[in-house]
Amino acid sequence: MTTPLKITPITLAKLAKLGITRRSDLVLHLPLRYEDETHLAPIATLQVGESAQIQGVVAHSEVTHRPHRALVCRLEDGSGEVFLRFLHFHAGIQQQLKVGKRVRAVGEVREGFYGREMVHPKCSNVEDDTPLQTSLTPVYPTTAGLSQTSLRKLILNALDVIPISDTLPAALCNRLSLQDFPSSIRLLHQPTPDISAARLEAHSHPAWQRIKFDELLAQQISMRIHHRERHQRAAVALLPRGTLTQSLLAALPFSLTQAQQKVLAEISRDLSLPHPMQRLLLGDVGSGKTIVAALAALQAIENGYQVALMSPTEILAEQHFLKLSEWLEPLGITPVWLSGSLKKSAKQRATAAIASGETLLAIGTHALFQKNVQFHKLGLAIVDEQHKFGVEQRLALHAKGKESAEITQAVRPELVEGQSTPSNVGLKPDLRNSVHPSTGPGRTESESSAARAPEPHQLMMSATPIPRTLAMSFYADLDVSVIDELPPGRTPIVTKLVNDNRRAEVCERVRAACAKGQQAYWVCPLIEESETLELQNAQETFENMQATFSELRVGLVHGRLDNAEKVRVMAAFKAGELDLLVATTVIEVGVDVPNASLMVIEHAERMGLAQLHQLRGRVGRGAAHSLCILLFQPPLSELARARLKIIFEHTDGFVIAQEDLQLRGPGELLGARQSGVAMLRFADLNEDGELLELARKVADELLSDDPDTCRKHLQRWIAHKHDFLHV
Ligand code: ADP
Ligand code: MG
């Protein structure tokens, strides 16, 4: 019977850095790659570039000083000779590599100063009959100060002392053709030599499939628990009365597209239920999300409840304010405006109107969700371009949602989504103890009735088109509606890639378009390193444009502009009082000026695909033929070339997002959200879409039929990480 190895506090701290706090986490710490130490290669057969294990006798050993100080020895095995070279070495190694010693070495062969050599190979002294390894040697992700050898020992020990059972029923594994967990995990830690290391490293072996499936399943179960748990919390049922919504629909100059009607029906139904809606409305740039938001807002207002509409930037918030005022004032609803830059007295007036319930619709930036803003009866919170908000703002929004509930009733914090704080997620290392999972479906069911107090419904909108598989995984805790068609009458935007040395021609193009009464954007380059430089550049471009186009009315908008000024410029552009708007990428999100039909983007090669797509979406909003000119400056990097090709070839945001995913991987695409995706260590959403879909299906099945299995599974995979999921 093996006993658990003692672990020193120093090692515990190192393990914690690797996310290992329980012995069972060690079992799930899987190799990055393997070294084959199961056989010896004759030195004469070594190929440059190959990794190999060799054994021989040291024929010569010295510390050289040219070209660098190094310990160099010559190893011979009867078939040939090779040099071992160490740039950093201590007395121990010198001792090991004394002339006459028998040495086993593992390393990569290269062509060196003296001939074929291994630099810093792994070495040990052996006897003639020292046995070889019987399985491939795993190489684990580790951290400074924790050697592969110690980590390997700890993991092998954990494999012996931890009972490794399958969390999933055998029948389920059979049905899904999944290898069992115990044999999969053992195989990955100690693969026999007949298994190809390449296949293991590519994660395509059935053992890996099983581990990845388990990981995805845990993530899906966890997110679906949140999803279900929400349906046990209370919200006010906002019934569709139709009084106001019908009036707005009748007054609109257009009728809703099929897609808009479909998503509106989904939202309207959710609002009428006594559970908090958390719905994500996905729709490509220009697909018409704003009117959907307005109609959703009216459903709450018809019921006498307040609505908050929050946007990530002042420009966008202001635009919504104007648009919704135009739509809703004829119905007797006057929105109130609240942003950080408002004067103190105006701010006080706005917050007072919100607190008294006098105003039913508040529009603004995240200032809406600051502590000093108290809603009287908040029924619906709408967040536009939600991907632009950071984690903290999302937390503030959640907290705002909870406020009224908390006043009347204490809510168990760990059951409330989005309330994870560093203090309750940073659990103590419990390597020495058995683990009690902090969350599980059983608990949710038995205790959720304690958390019954109404909270507002939430509608999140985003133009980040996300490939379906990713959306499923990423937003498994939300309900998702998709607007999958654009309003009719749009003429497709033509995109042109133009070398910067043809700038003069482009200017003539701008001149001609504006002469015909069209409006144009000129987007200044992104300068990531320095905002100051970026602004300076925008200012210079603006002055150049004024000089070049003396007959045109030119405006400038950038991030550092005083807000009132920003709003004034945008309003002037919208009203047609400016022909050309020089802008930084502040106009990226949401700006809607239908008469603008020409856009020039400078240094397009510096921008990401999502950003280019968003920018380009500022044109093509009216009936006129729109043109987007992407100026680029060679030489182009491989990545820049690939991006420009994609943006040139595609206008469908979903396709672009899919391509972007291929190009960059999901982590970067999704940015800040700490989520299920960030938690995935083994599964890769680019490759494991099918496994993910399966996991999603199985998660729902298990949650309905087999909560015990869910609990066991979560305990293994994310007992203490559960809270991270929902920030
Ligand atoms: P986004 O989804 O990017 O937020 P907007 O809501 O700003 O898009 O809508 C883009 C433009 O399309 C606006 O000018 C809006 O008034 C208009 N629009 C929205 N729905 C329709 C429709 N069904 N038919 C015609 N135009 C529409
Ligand atoms: Mg919008």
Side-chain angles (χ1 to χ4, degrees), residues 231-495:
H231 289 266
Q232 300 174 355
R233 302 204 305 260
V236 179
L238 303 167
L239 299 174
R241 301 185 189 275
T243 41
L244 295 170
T245 44
Q246 289 311 322
S247 316
L248 175 55
L249 282 172
L252 283 179
F254 52 78
S255 49
L256 298 185
T257 61
Q258 293 273 330
Q260 284 170 319
Q261 288 173 26
K262 181 193 70 189
V263 301
L264 192 62
E266 288 165 353
I267 293 166
S268 170
R269 193 199 51 223
D270 277 6
L271 290 176
S272 69
L273 298 176
H275 310 296
M277 166 173 87
Q278 268 178 30
R279 192 169 273 280
L280 177 69
L281 176 56
L282 286 178
D284 203 354
V285 184
S287 61
K289 295 182 289 293
T290 317
I291 183 64
V292 174
L295 289 160
L298 284 182
Q299 186 165 331
I301 293 170
E302 281 169 357
N303 285 273
Y305 277 83
Q306 288 175 301
V307 177
L309 170 56
M310 171 164 84
S311 300
T313 66
E314 297 237 354
I315 289 189
L316 195 48
E318 170 80 15
Q319 188 180 290
H320 280 328
F321 180 73
L322 295 174
K323 192 91 191 183
L324 269 77
S325 300
E326 175 194 321
W327 282 336
L328 304 187
E329 269 175 2
L331 308 177
I333 298 153
T334 308
V336 109
W337 164 254
L338 186 62
S339 81
S341 65
L342 220 53
K343 288 215 182 63
K344 202 165 167 206
S345 57
K347 212 180 273 176
Q348 277 168 350
R349 243 177 292 130
T351 47
I354 292 171
S356 69
E358 175 198 332
T359 184
L360 286 173
L361 177 57
I363 299 177
T365 58
H366 61 267
L368 279 175
F369 294 105
Q370 237 90 84
K371 282 214 172 54
N372 56 347
V373 185
Q374 296 280 344
F375 283 84
H376 178 62
K377 264 171 104 180
L378 184 60
L380 170 64
I382 304 175
V383 182
D384 195 19
E385 308 288 350
Q386 72 100 31
H387 58 287
K388 290 275 162 189
F389 285 99
V391 173
E392 287 127 58
Q393 287 149 342
R394 237 170 273 157
L395 284 175
L397 172 62
H398 277 295
K400 188 61 57 186
K402 303 286 149 25
E403 248 164 35
S404 62
E406 275 162 10
I407 293 165
T408 51
Q409 205 155 3
V411 179
R412 295 187 65 93
E414 73 270 36
L415 287 177
V416 175
E417 190 176 345
Q419 293 240 327
S420 314
T421 59
S423 63
N424 69 21
V425 292
L427 289 191
K428 300 180 284 300
D430 55 354
L431 268 170
R432 293 168 219 86
N433 311 327
S434 61
V435 177
H436 305 286
S438 63
T439 320
R443 176 174 181 148
T444 303
E445 274 153 27
S446 62
E447 297 183 15
S448 60
S449 55
R452 282 200 176 272
E455 43 182 286
H457 298 278
Q458 236 190 81
L459 177 64
M460 289 150 276
M461 306 199 286
S462 176
T464 317
I466 296 176
R468 189 172 152 270
T469 48
L470 196 52
M472 241 176 61
S473 158
F474 199 51
Y475 298 117
D477 53 335
L478 308 177
D479 295 301
V480 179
S481 292
V482 182
I483 305 188
D484 53 10
E485 85 185 288
L486 293 180
R490 304 262 168 95
T491 34
I493 306 168
V494 174
T495 302

Side-chain angles (χ1 to χ4, degrees), residues 507-662:
C507 286
E508 284 320 301
R509 203 75 210 220
V510 171
R511 192 190 303 277
C514 292
K516 280 192 287 178
Q518 293 172 6
Q519 288 173 284
Y521 295 98
W522 189 287
V523 182
C524 300
L526 184 70
I527 303 177
E528 274 183 342
E529 306 79 44
S530 156
E531 205 195 347
T532 318
L533 273 183
E534 186 166 301
L535 295 185
Q536 198 181 322
N537 181 289
Q539 186 65 39
E540 282 167 15
T541 309
F542 170 62
E543 284 159 17
N544 281 341
M545 294 289 154
Q546 275 185 318
T548 313
F549 305 118
S550 51
E551 78 279 22
L552 299 182
R553 296 159 300 171
V554 185
L556 171 67
V557 61
H558 59 68
R560 275 301 165 87
L561 222 54
D562 170 272
N563 274 302
E565 177 67 5
K566 225 186 276 179
V567 164
R568 198 190 57 72
V569 176
M570 286 312 298
F573 188 57
K574 190 154 188 159
E577 292 157 13
L578 293 172
D579 303 300
L580 176 64
L581 185 63
V582 176
T584 56
T585 52
V586 295
I587 58 154
E588 178 192 336
V589 285
V591 169
D592 183 39
V593 180
N595 191 48
S597 58
L598 174 60
M599 168 165 286
V600 181
I601 303 177
E602 276 194 81
H603 278 291
E605 79 279 0
R606 293 185 191 167
M607 291 182 194
L609 271 175
Q611 192 168 33
L612 285 171
H613 178 65
Q614 283 278 339
L615 281 170
R616 183 173 59 182
R618 299 309 113 218
V619 293
R621 304 192 141 235
H625 285 273
S626 290
L627 175 64
C628 178
I629 297 176
L630 303 177
L631 281 175
F632 65 87
Q633 200 148 57
L636 293 179
S637 71
E638 201 68 39
L639 185 63
R641 188 182 302 275
R643 281 197 302 244
L644 290 178
K645 182 167 184 292
I646 292 167
I647 199 78
F648 175 71
E649 286 174 356
H650 301 282
T651 50
D652 181 332
F654 287 87
V655 176
I656 292 171
Q658 183 68 52
E659 298 278 338
D660 208 12
L661 179 66
Q662 299 286 347

Side-chain angles (χ1 to χ4, degrees), residues 686-698:
N686 266 331
E687 281 161 16
D688 300 323
E690 275 174 38
L691 270 185
L692 175 64
E693 281 181 50
L694 191 63
R696 165 71 179 264
K697 229 175 73 211
V698 174

